[in-house]
Amino acid sequence: QVQLVESGGGMVQPGGSLRLSCAASGRTFSDYNMGWFRQAPGKEREFVARITWSGGSTFYADSVKGRFTISRDNAKNTVYLQMNSLKPEDTAVYYCAARARDSVRFDYWGQGTQVTVSS
């Protein structure tokens, strides 16, 4: 089992920045590729970004490309999501998730952290 705990959410004005963190425990962190997802009210959960176990490769949804950056620190068992130039449409609950290297799906999820972008 992998336990994931997100933090860093909050309210910010349009154009502002936030950094989300996700602390992992329970298994060897570097055995897992990590991802961030989000779910806005009344909408389905959507992919935001992912990063490989080594941090050597990242991939982003078109809607956040150039504004968000995913990174990880395997020594701290933590994955981050730096969010810049935030827009009202970025408002959602953000979840981190873990996928074993040999898995095709994200098997472990955090409880989520709320991000609200509003003036």
Side-chain angles (χ1 to χ4, degrees):
Q1 288 282 358
V2 177
Q3 291 78 44
L4 303 171
V5 179
E6 302 96 335
S7 61
M11 180 175 288
V12 64
Q13 292 187 341
S17 298
L18 280 175
R19 188 176 82 154
L20 305 183
S21 300
C22 174
S25 62
R27 293 285 180 90
T28 303
F29 185 60
S30 58
D31 283 346
Y32 294 85
N33 301 311
M34 300 297 295
W36 285 96
F37 294 77
R38 67 187 181 186
Q39 186 167 21
K43 295 187 177 181
E44 293 187 354
R45 185 171 59 194
E46 65 175 1
F47 166 79
V48 175
R50 66 174 186 259
I51 187 167
T52 54
W53 63 273
S54 66
S57 181
T58 58
F59 186 77
Y60 298 90
D62 287 344
S63 59
V64 306
K65 200 174 297 181
R67 299 187 299 121
F68 291 11
T69 302
I70 188 171
S71 62
R72 67 189 293 162
D73 185 337
N74 286 348
K76 296 183 177 179
N77 293 347
T78 302
V79 62
Y80 305 96
L81 185 68
Q82 178 66 45
M83 306 185 294
N84 298 329
S85 302
L86 282 160
K87 305 175 181 180
E89 51 263 43
D90 294 318
T91 295
V93 178
Y94 283 71
Y95 300 89
C96 75
R99 184 179 76 187
R101 292 194 210 177
D102 58 353
S103 177
V104 296
R105 66 178 186 182
F106 286 90
D107 295 307
Y108 303 100
W109 295 82
Q111 83 290 347
T113 186
Q114 176 71 47
V115 171
T116 302
V117 184
S118 175
S119 55

